[in-house]
Structure formats: C-alpha cells, structure tokens
Amino acid sequence: MEVDCERLVALAKKVRLHTLDIVCRTRCPHIGPAFSCIELLVSLYFNTLKTCPEHPEDPERDRFIFSKGHACPALYSVLFERGFISRERMQGFAVNGGTMQQHPDYNLGCGIEFSTGSLGHGLSVGAGMAYALKKDNSPARVFVMLSDGELNEGSTWEAVLFAAHHKLNNLVLIIDYNRMQALGFTHDTLQLDPLAAKFEAFNWAPQTIDGHNFQAILSSLDLASREDSKPSVVIAETVKGKGVSFMENNLQWHYDCPNSDQYALACGEIE
Amino acid sequence: MRQAFYDRLEQIARSDKNLYILTANLGFRFLDRIRSTCSEQFLDVGVAEANMISLAAGMSTCGKNVYCYSIIPFLTMRAYEQVRVDVCYHGLKVKLVGMGAGFTYGLEGFTHFGIEDLALMRALPELHIVAPDTVENAVKVAELSYSHPFPLYIRLGRAGVHSPDAQPSIRRIGEASVVREGRHLAIIATGNMVPVCDVVAGQLARDGIAATLVNMHTIRPFDSEMVRRCAAEHPIIVTAEEHSITGGLGSAVAEVLAEAPYTGRFARIGIPEKLDTVIGHADYLWDHYGLSAQKIYSRLMKMLKQESEGAAHVLQS
C-alpha cells in the first residue's frame, strides 16, 4: 500500500509536542503511556478510521474506543489536530472550571465514542458495538486500543471469548504493548507472553508489529480490516515514553511531569 | 412473574427488531419462547455479567434497545462498576432485569439472595428502579420499560401472585399507587411485600384499625410527595421491603421524613444486616425474619398498643 509516511511522521512529531505542552501546562500525569501510542493514534485518525469531524454522528462511521483512558493527552492532541476538538475546548483540559478531565468523556462529544478510565471496559463495549453494527450489516468497523495492563482484567478476557465466538471480524483490537504497567514491568506483574499465541488459541487473528513504524502499523490495520471470520488483534510493540530518551522505559514518567529543563530537553529531542 | 414479563416482552420484540435480550446464561425454560421466536434478538453471552453490561452499553450506542437478565446479585453486584460507568454515566437506556428479590431463591442460599441491591442501585445517578409486586404489574412494567427514557433496573420477585382484580395498578414509573386508605397508620411497601401487607391491612381492618397501604413500586425516582402525604395524614408510618434494613425503601422514606419533618412514629420492616445460619424456603425465611403477614401484623399491633398507651399516659399527666 502506498501511504505518505513522511506526512504521518511529521504529524506524530506535532502531536508529541502538543502532548508534551498540555502535560507540562497542566502538570498532569501519564506522559509515558501517552507517548507510547502516538504513532498508533496518528495512523488511526489520519489514515485508517472512516470518521470525520464534519459528520461525527454518521451511523456508518468507524468507532474508536481508547480504553487506556489515562493516556488521554495523546488522544486529545490527535483529536485536536484532526479537528474534533477546538482550541478553546483544549484550554479546559485538566484545569479548575474546565470540561476535559484526565480521562476521555463521551458526554463531551468531540469524537470521543466512549468514556474510559476504569480499565478493562473498552473491549467489551467495542464488542457490543461491533455485534450491533454487524446485525445491521453496517460497513462500520470498531477499533479498540488497550494498554497491556488491561489484559490483567477478567472482563477483557470475557470479551475476547465473546468476540471470537461471534466471529466479529469488524472488530480490531490494538494492544499498546509497552511492557510497563503502573508498578513495573508486565513480566514482573503478570506475565502476558506468549501473547500472540494466547489470542491465536482464542480464535483471534493476531499480528505483532513495531508500534512506532507507520508502514507496519498501516499494513497491519489494513490486513486486520480484511479479515473475514475472526476478530483481529494488532500487538504493537511499543516503548513507554517513546521519543524522549530519559523517559523511555522509565516508570517515573507514568506519573511525573517534566520540569522546565526537562521540558526543553524533551522538545529538543522530539524536534 | 418473570414468565409473564418475558411473554409480554416477546410480543413487543416481535414488532421491534432493535429490541435485544441479553442473558448471562440464565433463564432455562422461561426464556425458551423469546429465544425461539426472536432468535436474532436473543443473545446468551455466557456466564459473564460484567461483559454483558458493557456489551449492552456498546449496543445501545448503536441504537439497540437492550434488556440484560440475570439473578439479582450477579447482575447488580458482579457488574456494578460496568452499570455505573458504561450505562449510567453515559445515560444509556439499557434495562437491567434482576430476578430473585429478597429470599425468592430460598434454599439456594445466600449467594442468590437479592438483599442489598436497592441500596446499591439507589446510589447510582440516572438509574431508575422499579419493583413490581404482581404478575399484572410485571407485565405493565414490561410495557412501560420499552420506551422508558432512562436506564432502568427492574427487580422481579415471587411467582404466581396476582393483582386483586387481575388488573395492573401501576400507571407510571415514578408514581406510587395507593392500594387502600385508612387513618390509623400508613404502610409503605414495595415488591413482594405489597401483597403481604395487603393481607396484614385486611387483618387490621377486622380489628377496627384502618391502614393506608402504598405500593411504592418505584424506588427511583422516588415519590417523595406520596411519603409527605402519608406523613401529613398518619400518626404512624411503617415501611416493608424484602431487602436489607439498610439503604432500601425504609432508608428512602426515612430521608424524606427526616426533612419533612415528621413528628409521628416511624418503623422500618426489612431484613437484618446480618443473616442467621438458618436456611429455608422464602416463606419460611419471611417468617423467621419477621416478614410474614402474621409477624408483621403482630409487630404492628404491638406498636399500636404502645402508641395508645403512650397517648393515654399523656392524657393522664
């Protein structure tokens, strides 16, 4: 497939800088998990998803559920770049009297298809959407992004069983597999590997890719969309804090916000 | 009750292909009909209540009118956070149909008792709660629920209890109905306790005591006006529910009375917070915990006696 990856690389840089800005402006947490999924979000909103801010309620639009809601600075930045969120609305992020909390809120509209923040809900909700859309013979597809930590949740696996049983081939799960969760590495918390084999055993169609490589991301999403009898999962190998050397694979940046020196350093590295 | 509820729902479902019934692998026999005539609208999600509620929420955002069925504690507690976030926070018109109010499951034991659900569900913003008392009212609730504009929890109870004239008394969700009127005391009951308290009121009438009986079938939105009316007209108010004494109908009425303010006598009849080890059928447990007609009658007679002695004492002094 022919795609202008350079454009997407430039967009990712812009989104990463915007994410850094709003995190630093509001002193909000979760920059690490936000940076790990920026290429994935840019790919979805600027290439894959059939949805647009001009017709946000189109019944045939693709749906996207950002289940790892704590990383919402990245989502908001992408939605802003894509025109779903206004500049004025962005000013109300994570400030007293604002409207945009530190987890995505469906009640705002702005292209947010479902409120998240409590982990382990997103895949079930997405499966419900995919089931209903399939019943209506809708061409719409449902994309759900989960953190790896959400694979600890029992409800996620209830949805994994359901989606495979009902052959929801209009459902694409993307796992932001940065291998770090709230208190440390996933392999020290609850070992997830072999992850692709688990999904294969559950009758899903898995692909494992480099989650920061646009060509790989776009190809995998394209392939997933052509699956004819199974739900698809894209296991995106990513790096927590991607793009800023001192944040990469460092749990500190699940919580902390850069100081002014760190901000300047981060800007330099991203640019 | 549930058979009649689902038979009516099946009729509605046949005329609306967007109505879906989800079950967490329960409903042997009584869901058979709806399963066969509306097979494309019936979905057994397996023993996975949390997933069922989130699925329903997702389906609802795509325009489906979804009913979710399970036994009360599994539906309301196993999936509580999914109800809170996915259904209520989004204001989705999902219907939760819980079977087994109070001790309905009798000998099945503690895991199957629905005795804390009203307290839990009453705390959720947006969620409406209705507990029909008879077959006819359950059918009426099936009809009213179809286009109800809020998330709705339907609490089903005992089988085979019919309205006196085989007619539903529920007119509207949110509007309590008066079963009978009397001046000596008011009994406010919900669900299974309404027919029981009607028997009690009949016994009291034979003793020359006239009781008002209110069917508080809707726990949210709560008909506070009806409670204030009872307060204005009665020296004694008693609530009766097949639910823990904490957090349910009795608490809801107490909240209204405390703010009214009410200077009469008030008592809550319900299930104690801590259950004994004794087991039994629902009737047996009702009697054990003071919820049978006879036990309620005795308790009310004692209260009335105390009240009249108190009044005599005041007159003498």
Side-chain angles (χ1 to χ4, degrees):
Chain A
M1 58 188 293
E2 279 302 311
V3 178
D4 183 1
C5 286
E6 276 182 28
R7 174 176 156 263
L8 298 180
V9 169
L11 272 165
K13 186 184 285 187
K14 210 170 168 185
V15 167
R16 203 168 253 114
L17 280 171
H18 192 241
T19 302
L20 178 69
D21 274 348
I22 63 171
V23 163
C24 290
R25 191 181 75 218
T26 62
R27 313 295 303 161
C28 86
H30 300 134
I31 192 167
F35 276 4
S36 67
C37 61
I38 281 178
E39 282 76 15
L40 296 167
L41 289 170
V42 167
S43 301
L44 285 164
Y45 277 96
F46 288 90
N47 187 81
T48 303
L49 291 176
K50 292 189 179 70
T51 181
C52 65
E54 293 76 26
H55 305 286
E57 307 269 314
D58 181 350
E60 295 198 345
R61 72 191 183 282
D62 289 339
R63 273 75 164 173
F64 173 61
I65 299 174
F66 190 62
S67 195
K68 46 172 286 180
H70 54 282
C72 69
L75 177 73
Y76 292 160
S77 297
V78 171
L79 289 172
F80 170 73
E81 289 296 334
R82 186 69 182 79
F84 279 99
I85 301 182
S86 67
R87 190 173 293 280
E88 189 188 2
R89 174 79 83 178
M90 285 299 285
Q91 296 301 317
F93 168 64
V95 291
N96 289 334
T99 56
M100 290 174 69
Q101 55 193 17
Q102 289 174 351
H103 291 94
D105 189 342
Y106 162 87
N107 298 304
L108 285 182
C110 300
I112 297 166
E113 297 282 357
F114 212 81
S115 307
T116 53
S118 174
L119 301 178
H121 290 219
L123 188 59
S124 294
V125 173
M129 290 178 177
Y131 182 85
L133 292 165
K134 220 171 159 56
K135 283 281 184 183
D136 289 342
N137 295 315
S138 168
R141 302 163 300 169
V142 181
F143 295 79
V144 180
M145 190 187 296
L146 255 60
S147 67
D148 41 23
E150 293 188 81
L151 297 173
N152 298 171
E153 293 276 9
S155 55
T156 296
W157 294 98
E158 293 179 8
V160 167
L161 282 169
F162 178 89
H165 181 86
H166 291 278
K167 299 182 169 54
L168 299 181
N169 63 327
N170 56 345
L171 178 67
V172 180
L173 167 62
I174 301 161
I175 297 169
D176 182 5
Y177 198 12
N178 60 35
R179 295 179 186 265
M180 294 190 91
Q181 53 191 98
L183 288 183
F185 290 106
T186 52
H187 64 255
D188 289 331
T189 310
L190 286 174
Q191 177 62 273
L192 297 171
D193 288 331
L195 193 49
K198 282 187 176 64
F199 277 95
E200 194 147 24
F202 276 77
N203 284 323
W204 281 59
Q207 300 175 69
T208 302
I209 61 154
D210 173 353
H212 298 298
N213 179 313
F214 280 110
Q215 198 62 55
I217 298 168
L218 299 178
S219 300
S220 68
L221 293 177
D222 183 55
L223 192 63
S225 299
R226 286 187 277 117
E227 177 58 47
D228 64 1
S229 63
K230 292 177 178 177
S232 290
V233 54
V234 174
I235 300 166
E237 299 272 11
T238 58
V239 175
K240 196 152 186 154
K242 174 73 178 178
V244 176
S245 57
F246 61 87
M247 290 185 188
E248 291 188 357
N249 291 317
N250 184 344
L251 188 63
Q252 177 190 353
W253 302 101
H254 192 87
Y255 304 97
D256 286 355
C257 172
N259 61 29
S260 54
D261 291 342
Q262 289 165 330
Y263 172 77
L265 269 175
C267 283
E269 289 196 22
I270 295 168
E271 280 166 354
Chain B
M1 182 186 280
R2 62 181 167 178
Q3 185 69 60
F5 177 89
Y6 277 108
D7 284 351
R8 183 71 189 99
L9 200 60
E10 185 255 358
Q11 292 169 344
I12 299 169
R14 275 195 276 131
S15 61
D16 181 0
K17 296 295 168 206
N18 274 323
L19 193 158
Y20 280 77
I21 294 110
L22 274 52
T23 173
N25 206 223
L26 289 170
F28 183 62
R29 291 209 176 95
F30 75 89
L31 282 177
D32 286 358
R33 186 162 152 199
I34 206 162
R35 189 177 194 170
S36 67
T37 60
C38 304
S39 59
E40 288 299 310
Q41 296 157 262
F42 178 88
L43 179 58
D44 177 3
V45 305
V47 191
E49 296 81 7
N51 190 43
M52 173 169 71
I53 300 302
S54 299
L55 287 169
M59 293 172 69
S60 179
T61 66
C62 294
K64 305 301 179 193
N65 193 354
V66 189
Y67 287 71
C68 297
Y69 175 75
S70 189
I71 293 174
I72 285 173
F74 316 147
L75 181 75
T76 61
M77 297 178 200
R78 187 63 167 266
Y80 189 66
E81 202 224 2
Q82 278 77 10
V83 174
R84 174 180 181 263
V85 178
D86 299 345
V87 175
C88 294
Y89 188 65
H90 292 76
L92 298 172
K93 294 169 230 165
V94 171
K95 265 65 79 173
L96 311 171
V97 185
M99 178 58 198
F103 295 129
T104 302
Y105 278 100
L107 287 164
E108 302 272 358
F110 179 79
T111 54
H112 287 52
F113 292 161
I115 53 181
E116 308 96 345
D117 55 310
L118 292 178
L120 285 167
M121 303 314 258
R122 201 163 73 85
L124 292 174
E126 296 279 313
L127 185 72
H128 288 181
I129 305 168
V130 61
D133 57 321
T134 61
V135 170
E136 291 77 10
N137 278 333
V139 169
K140 183 70 178 179
V141 166
E143 293 164 3
L144 292 170
S145 66
Y146 172 65
S147 53
H148 193 67
F150 287 88
L152 181 65
Y153 170 44
I154 300 165
R155 186 185 205 238
L156 299 179
R158 167 162 289 216
V161 180
H162 289 272
S163 297
D165 52 359
Q167 292 298 315
S169 58
I170 297 178
R171 286 187 301 274
R172 212 168 59 81
I173 290 170
E175 185 184 307
S177 47
V178 177
V179 180
R180 59 165 81 204
E181 288 191 272
R183 65 189 173 87
H184 294 112
L185 79 160
I187 306 168
I188 303 175
T190 193
N192 292 341
M193 283 297 112
V194 176
V196 171
C197 288
D198 199 34
V199 172
V200 172
Q203 287 174 321
L204 291 171
R206 284 192 286 279
D207 296 331
I209 298 159
T212 290
L213 175 60
V214 172
N215 180 355
M216 191 63 84
H217 47 78
T218 304
I219 303 298
R220 268 179 74 105
F222 196 62
D223 192 347
S224 302
E225 189 47 45
M226 177 64 83
V227 175
R228 283 191 286 269
R229 245 178 70 194
C230 289
E233 295 167 4
H234 300 85
I236 299 173
I237 294 178
V238 176
T239 58
E241 62 195 306
E242 198 178 355
H243 182 272
S244 166
I245 203 72
T246 303
L249 171 70
S251 298
V253 170
E255 287 160 16
V256 177
L257 293 181
E259 289 179 350
Y262 181 57
T263 52
R265 180 141 184 215
F266 172 64
R268 294 169 297 154
I269 296 173
I271 299 167
E273 283 186 359
K274 179 88 175 95
L275 297 185
D276 302 328
T277 52
V278 66
I279 64 165
H281 289 296
D283 283 323
Y284 181 89
L285 294 173
W286 281 6
D287 199 60
H288 179 81
Y289 290 107
L291 296 175
S292 62
Q294 194 51 46
K295 288 278 173 70
I296 294 174
Y297 169 76
S298 300
R299 184 166 168 185
L300 294 184
M301 286 304 281
K302 201 170 156 192
M303 271 180 78
L304 287 158
K305 192 160 170 260
Q306 286 169 350
E307 280 298 298
S308 68
E309 283 170 2
H313 179 73
V314 169
L315 284 176
Q316 280 165 13
S317 61

